Amino acid sequence: MFHGPRFDVYAEDDQGIIYDFEMQNEDQHDLAERISIYQGNLSRQALYAGQPFKKRKRTVVFFICDHDPYGLGWPSYTLKVELVGCPNFSVDNKETNVIVNLKTDVSQLTQAQREMVAYFNDGTVSGAFSRKLAAAVAAVKADAIRGGIYMTIEEYAALKSAYAQESERIKTITGLAALDMSRAQIIEFLKTNMELSEEQAQAAYDNAMAAHA
């Protein structure tokens, strides 16, 4: 059984860009490897079967760290693919990886960036941006409490991520069906590419087609 990452927050914007946001509270000296695994999982959802590779959606992974992984003091680090021997030649494979350093020197950050860092570090609300951020978190908590059921913010984020993945799965299935793939072919695709069992793949197909009817 291969390792499958579990997304903290998964989202897609109106331009089709897929995002994954992760919190990293401990330096385990494996950040680059972690990012590559999360990117790999996003990439599997970035292109429908039969589409040309140029149609690959852009995927962005953010790791928000409460430590400085490279010790340079930068507020963020962006990892990219380079052509060996040509360090100024950037290869755009439609993958973006950003590491946010919450322990950076905030003196040269914008006001909004300083508020974000303070809020993530200790919950401090110090201005308009962090008030909006705190209000958004409060709204999530309030929604999670609906019906008398309480969830932590982490649990709620995981649930929202599951909903997002289910929505993406439905789009994948209906997209494959539009390409005239049979039920059996789509179920096999789901088993191979989404690590579903036979029963899960059959249920996912039936649910997606019913929702699309």
Side-chain angles (χ1 to χ4, degrees):
M1 179 68 69
F2 293 108
H3 189 286
R6 182 175 59 189
F7 296 135
D8 283 352
V9 178
Y10 173 98
E12 183 173 346
D13 67 16
D14 56 6
Q15 297 181 7
I17 302 174
I18 304 173
Y19 299 89
D20 170 39
F21 294 85
E22 300 293 325
M23 293 294 299
Q24 189 70 24
N25 297 321
E26 182 180 351
D27 187 1
Q28 298 183 4
H29 308 287
D30 60 0
L31 200 52
E33 291 84 354
R34 283 176 180 265
I35 288 174
S36 70
I37 294 298
Y38 280 90
Q39 268 290 1
N41 214 41
L42 286 185
S43 296
R44 290 166 54 189
Q45 304 175 53
L47 189 70
Y48 292 125
Q51 284 188 310
F53 289 106
K54 290 290 288 185
K55 291 291 186 179
R56 183 200 191 282
K57 295 180 180 179
R58 186 169 294 278
T59 53
V60 184
V61 172
F62 283 92
F63 263 78
I64 302 174
C65 300
D66 68 350
H67 58 277
D68 186 343
Y70 300 117
L72 299 176
W74 296 0
S76 65
Y77 301 96
T78 300
L79 310 183
K80 65 179 183 179
V81 178
E82 291 183 349
L83 186 65
V84 175
C86 300
N88 295 323
F89 190 98
S90 180
V91 178
D92 184 12
N93 60 356
K94 293 191 175 179
E95 293 182 3
T96 301
N97 302 298
V98 180
I99 301 167
V100 178
N101 172 22
L102 294 179
K103 299 307 179 186
T104 188
D105 178 2
V106 301
S107 61
Q108 299 194 23
L109 300 182
T110 66
Q111 177 64 27
Q113 289 171 332
R114 289 197 298 270
E115 291 182 35
M116 182 194 72
V117 169
Y119 184 82
F120 276 110
N121 275 321
D122 54 26
T124 299
V125 175
S126 56
F129 179 81
S130 53
R131 281 196 296 272
K132 290 180 180 179
L133 185 57
V137 172
V140 169
K141 288 182 177 180
D143 190 64
I145 296 171
R146 183 181 299 166
I149 300 174
Y150 176 75
M151 293 184 215
T152 66
I153 191 68
E154 292 84 4
E155 291 169 334
Y156 185 81
L159 181 60
K160 297 291 279 187
S161 175
Y163 285 149
Q165 291 181 61
E166 178 65 19
S167 175
E168 186 66 21
R169 183 181 298 166
I170 290 172
K171 288 196 293 184
T172 298
I173 292 170
T174 55
L176 294 176
L179 294 171
D180 293 328
M181 288 182 66
S182 68
R183 182 178 188 274
Q185 288 174 319
I186 294 173
I187 287 173
E188 190 61 32
F189 176 92
L190 296 174
K191 289 163 57 181
T192 302
N193 295 279
M194 295 187 176
E195 299 180 358
L196 300 182
S197 67
E198 179 74 26
E199 293 76 15
Q200 290 172 328
Q202 291 178 1
Y205 176 91
D206 292 340
N207 291 339
M209 299 310 291
H212 192 64

